[in-house]
Amino acid sequence: MKRSKQPTIVDVASEAGVSIATVSNVLNRRKVPMSPETIRKVEEAVVQLGYRRNVMATNLSRRRSYELGLIIPHFGGYYGRFAEKLEQKVHSFGYHLSVFSAAGMDPVIEKRHLEHLLQRRVDGLVSHGLAMSMQSTQQLVGEGTPLVIFNGWGWPSDIVKLAVNLDFAKASTEAVQHFLAGGCRSIIYAGRRKGMGANEQRIQGFMEGLGDKAKSTVHALLDAGELGIEGTLEEALRISGEQRPIGIYTFNDALALELLAVCHERGIRVPEDVQLIGMDNELFSKSSFPSITSFDMPVELQTRLVAAFLMRQIGEDLDEENTQLLDEYLPHIHGHELFIDLEMIVRKSTTT
Amino acid sequence: MKRSKQPTIVDVASEAGVSIATVSNVLNRRKVPMSPETIRKVEEAVVQLGYRRNVMATNLSRRRSYELGLIIPHFGGYYGRFAEKLEQKVHSFGYHLSVFSAAGMDPVIEKRHLEHLLQRRVDGLVSHGLAMSMQSTQQLVGEGTPLVIFNGWGWPSDIVKLAVNLDFAKASTEAVQHFLAGGCRSIIYAGRRKGMGANEQRIQGFMEGLGDKAKSTVHALLDAGELGIEGTLEEALRISGEQRPIGIYTFNDALALELLAVCHERGIRVPEDVQLIGMDNELFSKSSFPSITSFDMPVELQTRLVAAFLMRQIGEDLDEENTQLLDEYLPHIHGHELFIDLEMIVRKSTTT
DNA sequence: CTGTTAGCGCATTCAA
DNA sequence: TTGAATGCGCTAACAG
């Protein structure tokens, strides 16, 4: 070791008795022909000195970082699973994924993370439908770095290259129809205004699901964030009056579980008096009592699409499989928004 | 914009009509005196060109990254909360936190992430008790980068500067005694061998909790990973025979919830026939039916300690608050392992 | 096959 | 107050 601390290729070169270019060549397994002897000497020197490449220098020189950034509202549940899957996918392309949580839907933190990622010159960005304004995003990201959104609606294509969205609207329609088929005489949506686009999608699908039954069926849109859990249930009961059973479709499973707990407290039977459908298919939804009907999130497909598209955008060439994947899905795109179906998992909260 | 893409300080300098040194000075708000006019011109040029600093170049030059790395087994539950909190803490010191999930306890992925972080020359590392061998860790991390472990036991101090551990042993003792006080006549621990150190800590505390009652009380250590959920319950029932109620202490809340589900299926009453205590105080534990007695994880305290210690290790000077924090806790250290108490949250799964 | 050299974008003396 | 010069660790032509 020469100067302050960690050995550099200069050290390795002198230790191996070759030039730094040679070291760089063997380190990067370049196609230039070299004698096995040289290779051996270099590799020996590397372990000998405990050399570790400095990626900052490498990237600076390469003018590429081989790094991608992901911004999610939090690490829990669906988002955490998404992050893990995506990490695997991009790794198979030789990229690293840096994950940042925006602490809820805080636009300030979101902005900070985005800025940091950009300063790090990531080659691409993936984000949930951002809470920050489209204008800020536009200004921040600009043309330079390709940005792919997941579960974000209404983003102009000059900012976002592609939006890979779960079809919450369609799922919501399905939920309502499931309630109807299950004999529900009143149907409530318990949402979260802070859910932003995802919430609106659900509402839209909810109304579509009611269709002509909208007039003959008691229904309402509630905001659980505002009313609280107890308030939401009370309001649902009040609105429904004698029209039982009540079908309550919730923003997510967590909310459904909380409602379930309140039902237990008050002796309201599920699914006899109240039927519940959640969203996310969290682990606990299978094990709760009764188990909760929910929609499974196709994280695998979603991350595969995101990764494949981003890779192509960056200029990596795709293998057969990924090419096929894009060929299959991109033609069915609405503008630049792609929709993926969710699968309903029917459980005891809607089945007698 | 001059060459390939993004503007550099050179561009800013020429746009503002000053030298790059000056640009650098105003960008870093250095103490060197400069005319307000110059500052204005530079700042104007910055927004004008949409200049964004390149951290790779900055760090390379500074020989510091102001970045920390965190490795966790997954993003869910406790670990996700830990990551979020820690991110906040280190940010207040002007550092960034890059979080990587090791996809369970996979030593290979763990190693890959560690190596990447090291290549990025992070200033410090935080990790859960690693699954990879201490020898690999030793070799990988060496002396260079300070490493702080959380929930890892038995790491030699030449590898790990500090281990900030939750006192699972003590909590487990408490759990057993709670069962005893609650009239349990047989007590089972349902663990996970893959939980590694955390599992052993629980077992140790479990046995201590039994104390002299160990002979007179039916008890057993089961491995839920091996037996499966149903198998675990069956085995617990078999071992207990007529000795009811049975107290089952589980590795975590997720496991407790799954056992609860099986109990419901089989008509086993909780808490009359079986009492349950979990660990983690997950959100669903409060809302399950019945709600699950659990231990709350003091993530706030744990991350504060980790951050404060790491910052001091790196050479940042701490404010009053953090100094006090370390002064309070470090003296009570066992070797280089710090223990933090957990708080039991008593709920319906253990209360009649 | 191997070595020389010119950057990559920025920080930091040291002079002016 | 400001600017020219040097270095951070590595890549990538280009010679040899």
Side-chain angles (χ1 to χ4, degrees), chain B residues 13 62 110 121-122 197 203 248 310:
Chain B
R62 282 207 179 112
E110 224 167 51
R121 298 295 190 269
V122 292
I203 291 176
I248 306 183
L310 203 48

Side-chain angles (χ1 to χ4, degrees), chain B residues 287-302:
Chain B
S287 306
S288 70
F289 182 73
S291 55
I292 300 171
T293 295
S294 187
F295 289 91
D296 189 55
M297 316 294 258
V299 175
E300 173 68 24
L301 176 58
Q302 201 179 17

